[in-house]
Amino acid sequence: MGAVQPGVGDAASFVVAVGGGRSSAVPQAHCSLLERESWRTPQHLYWAVQSRMPFTLDVLELGRLYTRPELARLWGYQGFEAISRGVVTPADSATIVLFVTREKQQSLTQYRDFISGDRLYWEGQKRHGTDDRIARAHESGEQIHLFYRDVHHTPFRYYGQLLATRFVRKRDKPSEFTFQLVHDLSAEDDVRSHESELAAIEETERREIVRARVGQGRFRADLLRVWGECAVTGVDRADLLRASHIKPWRFSSNRERMDRFNGLLLLPQYDHLFDRGYITFHDDGRLEPSPAITSVPADRLGVELRSRLRRVEDRHLPFLEYHREQVFVARRG
């Protein structure tokens, strides 16, 4: 793929976006102040500039949801079309960005791409234009970063850096890649990612905050006292229930991590779906399923989609709102 040079009077650099067997060059835009924009996004993305913003991933948070329009504004593009492809290679950065959708629109090429455990299984371009660059990224000093979603027309979750572990070159069909997720967003990964923050806390309190991430310790004991049963089904077998944060531990303050109103006792199937943003709850307790799971019959998931939280108190409401806005996988725009 040849280099793209900006013309006289153009902005500082170009982006080359590649995917689906096609490539395009899109000029980088000079930005106005983002604080003039009315788009809804986490507060940490609002940073004002006097000129074009360089490409950066530093302000992104692992595990948070982002739409392409949000990222386009953050990176200084006039429109999200500049990053609408599956593989984006910013000209001013040694970075390869993958936008991966598991369940694609029927009109698009049905690549078989999915996450399982701490691995991403991904098929490259039909025309193999970026195969070698991606396969050799580590040795050439480039980083690969992942934005992933389960179903089209929903936001992407930022997973951070990938490491290519397997590459099978194909000639008459897309090549096969396997990547290891540097961050798999597990409890252990969350604790590792917050080591420096946790190191500043007194040891006894630090131990309780870490135990809260896996639904144990004082946090679980408090939820057992508050709920005493599954918050949805009423099952009262403590050994079957999980202590789940409403606002995820990774995004919470230490006070919120231990707040009993930031938690639900749930059977494992509800806990897993809630943690992944595949279900959420409204202020009246009503359950709402994500489009990411509507193709799977509810009885096979082991949940009742017409159920609701058995009670909701006022102090639950800010946390439930956060989950709906920042965790729940919903179609937006």
Side-chain angles (χ1 to χ4, degrees):
M1 178 171 57
V4 178
Q5 299 295 332
V8 177
D10 285 346
S13 64
F14 275 66
V15 138
V16 177
V18 184
R22 299 179 298 276
S23 64
S24 60
V26 183
Q28 193 79 299
H30 289 276
C31 294
S32 58
L33 294 179
L34 288 186
E35 57 195 14
R36 298 176 188 167
E37 302 288 351
S38 60
W39 48 284
R40 185 181 183 93
T41 191
Q43 187 64 33
H44 71 284
L45 286 188
Y46 286 90
W47 53 314
V49 293
Q50 297 295 332
S51 61
R52 182 183 70 83
M53 289 176 290
F55 176 85
T56 181
L57 296 165
D58 294 342
V59 297
L60 302 184
E61 293 187 66
L62 288 169
R64 192 178 287 281
L65 298 173
Y66 298 94
T67 65
R68 277 191 169 110
E70 289 169 354
L71 294 170
R73 290 184 175 96
L74 171 66
W75 294 331
Y77 302 138
Q78 288 180 328
F80 71 89
E81 294 80 7
I83 56 172
S84 63
R85 308 291 184 168
V87 183
V88 175
T89 56
D92 56 354
S93 173
T95 307
I96 301 169
V97 180
L98 301 186
F99 287 93
V100 177
T101 302
R102 181 184 60 82
E103 184 180 321
K104 303 162 183 63
Q105 298 181 73
Q106 289 300 313
S107 60
L108 300 179
T109 302
Q110 296 300 301
Y111 296 105
R112 190 167 180 267
D113 308 323
F114 61 96
I115 287 176
S116 179
D118 64 351
R119 295 290 191 272
L120 169 68
Y121 299 90
W122 181 77
E123 293 184 326
Q125 298 173 266
K126 288 191 292 186
R127 297 183 182 178
H128 309 286
T130 56
D131 283 4
D132 288 338
R133 180 173 179 178
I134 293 172
R136 297 172 182 169
H138 182 70
E139 61 188 77
S140 64
E142 291 188 297
Q143 289 190 358
I144 306 171
H145 284 252
L146 173 65
F147 292 86
Y148 180 89
R149 62 184 177 185
D150 279 289
V151 64
H152 60 88
H153 287 87
T154 61
F156 291 88
R157 195 175 303 280
Y158 177 52
Y159 275 83
Q161 189 177 358
L162 300 175
L163 299 175
T165 59
R166 180 175 176 267
F167 169 46
V168 179
R169 188 186 302 277
K170 304 288 185 178
R171 292 187 179 275
D172 57 348
K173 58 182 179 179
S175 298
E176 298 174 2
F177 289 83
T178 303
F179 300 94
Q180 180 180 351
L181 304 176
V182 174
H183 297 281
D184 61 5
L185 307 183
S186 64
E188 294 78 8
D189 182 60
D190 278 350
V191 172
R192 284 195 302 270
S193 297
H194 290 81
E195 277 182 350
S196 58
E197 169 196 340
L198 294 170
I201 304 171
E202 187 271 328
E203 182 178 356
T204 301
E205 186 67 12
R206 180 171 65 248
R207 186 181 305 115
E208 285 297 334
I209 290 171
V210 170
R211 294 181 74 190
R213 176 59 185 89
V214 292
Q216 299 299 326
R218 192 168 77 231
F219 178 70
R220 178 180 175 83
D222 286 347
L223 290 189
L224 285 169
R225 282 193 291 271
V226 168
W227 289 98
E229 61 186 12
C230 174
V232 176
T233 66
V235 171
D236 61 1
R237 285 274 303 271
D239 57 319
L240 300 179
L241 302 177
R242 293 181 179 175
S244 181
H245 284 90
I246 302 172
K247 179 179 181 180
W249 186 97
R250 70 176 67 90
F251 301 136
S252 294
S253 66
N254 288 328
R255 180 187 61 79
E256 290 171 332
R257 289 166 179 167
M258 299 301 298
D259 191 332
R260 64 185 183 276
F261 291 98
N262 186 24
L264 301 172
L265 273 184
L266 297 170
L267 286 171
Q269 64 271 36
Y270 285 93
D271 169 71
H272 179 75
L273 295 174
F274 187 68
D275 182 66
R276 294 293 299 270
Y278 293 159
I279 61 172
T280 194
F281 297 100
H282 290 268
D283 289 351
D284 61 0
R286 176 171 46 89
L287 183 152
E288 181 180 353
S290 164
I293 63 167
T294 52
S295 62
V296 183
D299 59 341
R300 295 185 183 181
L301 293 172
V303 299
E304 172 52 68
L305 298 182
R306 292 174 296 180
S307 57
R308 61 177 61 232
L309 293 175
R310 298 173 73 81
R311 69 177 186 275
V312 178
E313 299 186 34
D314 287 346
R315 290 175 65 181
H316 288 121
L317 299 182
F319 297 115
L320 290 173
E321 180 181 15
Y322 184 96
H323 189 276
R324 291 193 301 272
E325 294 292 333
Q326 302 296 343
V327 181
F328 182 55
V329 179
R331 291 197 166 98
R332 304 180 186 177

